[in-house]
Amino acid sequence: MSHHVRRLARSAKAALAVYPRAVLAVDGRTGAGKSTLAQVLASHLRAAGHHVDILPLDLLAYGWDDLAGAVHAGARLTSAFRALGEARYRPYDWERGRPAERDITVAGDLLIVEGCGALSATLAPLIDDGVIVRASRDTREARITARDHYDWSAERRAWEEQHDALTYPPSVRRP
């Protein structure tokens, strides 16, 4: 088990000793391994008896030029989760290029916000702890090619520029 999983699991336990719900974040560049780490972390926390959901920020972006919108939507949903223990959203269907047909509800005692911008200044005040996943450009490119069955290389630079444009709190080392 990675040191990130152990550290975040300890942070979740500490937060849940004080609050009814905890929120963790996994940030990083596209292809860095955010989704994989979030899934491993969620599995570990579920095995410990927690009801965990993952909020993938990329599903909140309504197109290639909407990363900031996704981060703001993520903040609204995270606030709702903190207050109510659940939040509902309509994900974006990247293959069809439009909103999906059904809403998704995240609920439980732990939420993992995963995606580019998860630890940005907009979301950071709502997060109990988080990590920025890092990988070399070559590793990221290989993962993107293996993962995505559609070509978005023309949009990738604009997506990364949007990520670069996000503001991060001084305590967070930028991805």
Short mmCIF file of all heavy atoms in Angstrom, two decimals, residues 9-32:
data_model
loop_
_atom_site.label_atom_id
_atom_site.label_comp_id
_atom_site.label_asym_id
_atom_site.label_seq_id
_atom_site.Cartn_x
_atom_site.Cartn_y
_atom_site.Cartn_z
N ALA A 9 -5.58 7.84 4.68
CA ALA A 9 -6.48 7.06 5.54
C ALA A 9 -6.39 7.55 6.99
O ALA A 9 -7.42 7.66 7.68
CB ALA A 9 -6.12 5.57 5.45
N ARG A 10 -5.19 7.87 7.45
CA ARG A 10 -5.04 8.43 8.80
C ARG A 10 -5.75 9.79 8.91
O ARG A 10 -6.42 10.07 9.91
CB ARG A 10 -3.56 8.58 9.17
CG ARG A 10 -2.88 7.29 9.54
CD ARG A 10 -1.50 7.51 10.16
NE ARG A 10 -0.61 8.31 9.34
CZ ARG A 10 0.23 7.82 8.42
NH1 ARG A 10 0.29 6.52 8.20
NH2 ARG A 10 1.01 8.62 7.72
N SER A 11 -5.61 10.60 7.89
CA SER A 11 -6.28 11.91 7.89
C SER A 11 -7.79 11.77 7.91
O SER A 11 -8.49 12.51 8.60
CB SER A 11 -5.86 12.72 6.66
OG SER A 11 -4.50 13.06 6.72
N ALA A 12 -8.30 10.82 7.14
CA ALA A 12 -9.75 10.58 7.13
C ALA A 12 -10.23 10.14 8.50
O ALA A 12 -11.26 10.63 8.99
CB ALA A 12 -10.10 9.52 6.08
N LYS A 13 -9.50 9.24 9.13
CA LYS A 13 -9.87 8.77 10.47
C LYS A 13 -9.89 9.93 11.46
O LYS A 13 -10.83 10.06 12.26
CB LYS A 13 -8.89 7.69 10.93
CG LYS A 13 -9.23 7.10 12.27
CD LYS A 13 -8.26 6.01 12.65
CE LYS A 13 -8.61 5.44 14.02
NZ LYS A 13 -7.71 4.36 14.41
N ALA A 14 -8.89 10.79 11.40
CA ALA A 14 -8.83 11.95 12.31
C ALA A 14 -9.99 12.91 12.05
O ALA A 14 -10.62 13.40 12.99
CB ALA A 14 -7.49 12.67 12.14
N ALA A 15 -10.29 13.16 10.79
CA ALA A 15 -11.40 14.08 10.46
C ALA A 15 -12.73 13.50 10.92
O ALA A 15 -13.58 14.22 11.46
CB ALA A 15 -11.42 14.37 8.96
N LEU A 16 -12.91 12.19 10.72
CA LEU A 16 -14.18 11.57 11.10
C LEU A 16 -14.35 11.45 12.62
O LEU A 16 -15.46 11.23 13.10
CB LEU A 16 -14.32 10.20 10.43
CG LEU A 16 -14.56 10.26 8.93
CD1 LEU A 16 -14.44 8.88 8.31
CD2 LEU A 16 -15.90 10.89 8.62
N ALA A 17 -13.27 11.60 13.36
CA ALA A 17 -13.38 11.62 14.81
C ALA A 17 -14.01 12.94 15.28
O ALA A 17 -14.53 13.02 16.39
CB ALA A 17 -12.00 11.45 15.45
N VAL A 18 -13.98 13.95 14.42
CA VAL A 18 -14.49 15.27 14.77
C VAL A 18 -15.76 15.63 13.99
O VAL A 18 -16.67 16.25 14.53
CB VAL A 18 -13.40 16.34 14.49
CG1 VAL A 18 -13.90 17.75 14.81
CG2 VAL A 18 -12.13 16.04 15.26
N TYR A 19 -15.82 15.23 12.74
CA TYR A 19 -16.94 15.61 11.85
C TYR A 19 -17.66 14.36 11.35
O TYR A 19 -17.09 13.28 11.31
CB TYR A 19 -16.40 16.38 10.64
CG TYR A 19 -15.58 17.59 11.01
CD1 TYR A 19 -14.20 17.59 10.83
CD2 TYR A 19 -16.18 18.72 11.56
CE1 TYR A 19 -13.43 18.69 11.18
CE2 TYR A 19 -15.42 19.83 11.90
CZ TYR A 19 -14.05 19.80 11.71
OH TYR A 19 -13.30 20.89 12.06
N PRO A 20 -18.92 14.51 10.93
CA PRO A 20 -19.65 13.35 10.43
C PRO A 20 -19.17 12.87 9.06
O PRO A 20 -19.41 11.73 8.68
CB PRO A 20 -21.11 13.83 10.35
CG PRO A 20 -21.03 15.31 10.31
CD PRO A 20 -19.76 15.71 11.02
N ARG A 21 -18.48 13.75 8.31
CA ARG A 21 -18.00 13.40 6.98
C ARG A 21 -16.60 13.96 6.76
O ARG A 21 -16.25 14.99 7.35
CB ARG A 21 -18.95 13.96 5.91
CG ARG A 21 -20.24 13.20 5.82
CD ARG A 21 -21.27 13.89 4.97
NE ARG A 21 -21.97 14.98 5.64
CZ ARG A 21 -22.89 14.82 6.59
NH1 ARG A 21 -23.20 13.63 7.01
NH2 ARG A 21 -23.49 15.85 7.13
N ALA A 22 -15.86 13.29 5.89
CA ALA A 22 -14.52 13.75 5.54
C ALA A 22 -14.40 13.83 4.02
O ALA A 22 -15.06 13.08 3.30
CB ALA A 22 -13.45 12.82 6.11
N VAL A 23 -13.55 14.74 3.58
CA VAL A 23 -13.30 14.90 2.14
C VAL A 23 -11.80 14.89 1.90
O VAL A 23 -11.05 15.65 2.51
CB VAL A 23 -13.91 16.21 1.60
CG1 VAL A 23 -13.64 16.34 0.11
CG2 VAL A 23 -15.40 16.28 1.89
N LEU A 24 -11.38 14.00 1.01
CA LEU A 24 -9.98 13.88 0.60
C LEU A 24 -9.88 14.30 -0.86
O LEU A 24 -10.87 14.28 -1.59
CB LEU A 24 -9.49 12.45 0.78
CG LEU A 24 -9.63 11.88 2.19
CD1 LEU A 24 -9.27 10.40 2.20
CD2 LEU A 24 -8.78 12.66 3.18
N ALA A 25 -8.68 14.66 -1.29
CA ALA A 25 -8.49 15.09 -2.68
C ALA A 25 -7.28 14.42 -3.28
O ALA A 25 -6.27 14.21 -2.60
CB ALA A 25 -8.35 16.61 -2.75
N VAL A 26 -7.39 14.10 -4.57
CA VAL A 26 -6.27 13.57 -5.34
C VAL A 26 -6.17 14.43 -6.60
O VAL A 26 -7.06 14.41 -7.45
CB VAL A 26 -6.48 12.08 -5.71
CG1 VAL A 26 -5.30 11.57 -6.52
CG2 VAL A 26 -6.68 11.23 -4.46
N ASP A 27 -5.10 15.20 -6.68
CA ASP A 27 -4.88 16.15 -7.77
C ASP A 27 -3.65 15.70 -8.56
O ASP A 27 -2.89 14.84 -8.11
CB ASP A 27 -4.67 17.55 -7.18
CG ASP A 27 -4.85 18.69 -8.17
OD1 ASP A 27 -4.65 18.49 -9.39
OD2 ASP A 27 -5.17 19.81 -7.72
N GLY A 28 -3.43 16.30 -9.69
CA GLY A 28 -2.26 16.02 -10.51
C GLY A 28 -2.56 16.23 -11.97
O GLY A 28 -3.70 16.45 -12.37
N ARG A 29 -1.54 16.15 -12.77
CA ARG A 29 -1.68 16.32 -14.21
C ARG A 29 -2.41 15.13 -14.83
O ARG A 29 -2.44 14.04 -14.27
CB ARG A 29 -0.32 16.46 -14.86
CG ARG A 29 0.40 17.70 -14.41
CD ARG A 29 0.78 18.50 -15.62
NE ARG A 29 1.37 19.75 -15.22
CZ ARG A 29 0.86 20.91 -15.58
NH1 ARG A 29 -0.23 20.97 -16.30
NH2 ARG A 29 1.44 22.03 -15.22
N THR A 30 -2.94 15.34 -16.00
CA THR A 30 -3.61 14.28 -16.75
C THR A 30 -2.63 13.12 -16.97
O THR A 30 -1.50 13.33 -17.39
CB THR A 30 -4.09 14.82 -18.11
OG1 THR A 30 -5.00 15.89 -17.86
CG2 THR A 30 -4.76 13.75 -18.93
N GLY A 31 -3.08 11.91 -16.63
CA GLY A 31 -2.26 10.73 -16.82
C GLY A 31 -1.28 10.45 -15.69
O GLY A 31 -0.50 9.49 -15.77
N ALA A 32 -1.31 11.24 -14.63
CA ALA A 32 -0.35 11.05 -13.53
C ALA A 32 -0.67 9.86 -12.65
O ALA A 32 0.18 9.37 -11.92
CB ALA A 32 -0.29 12.32 -12.67
#
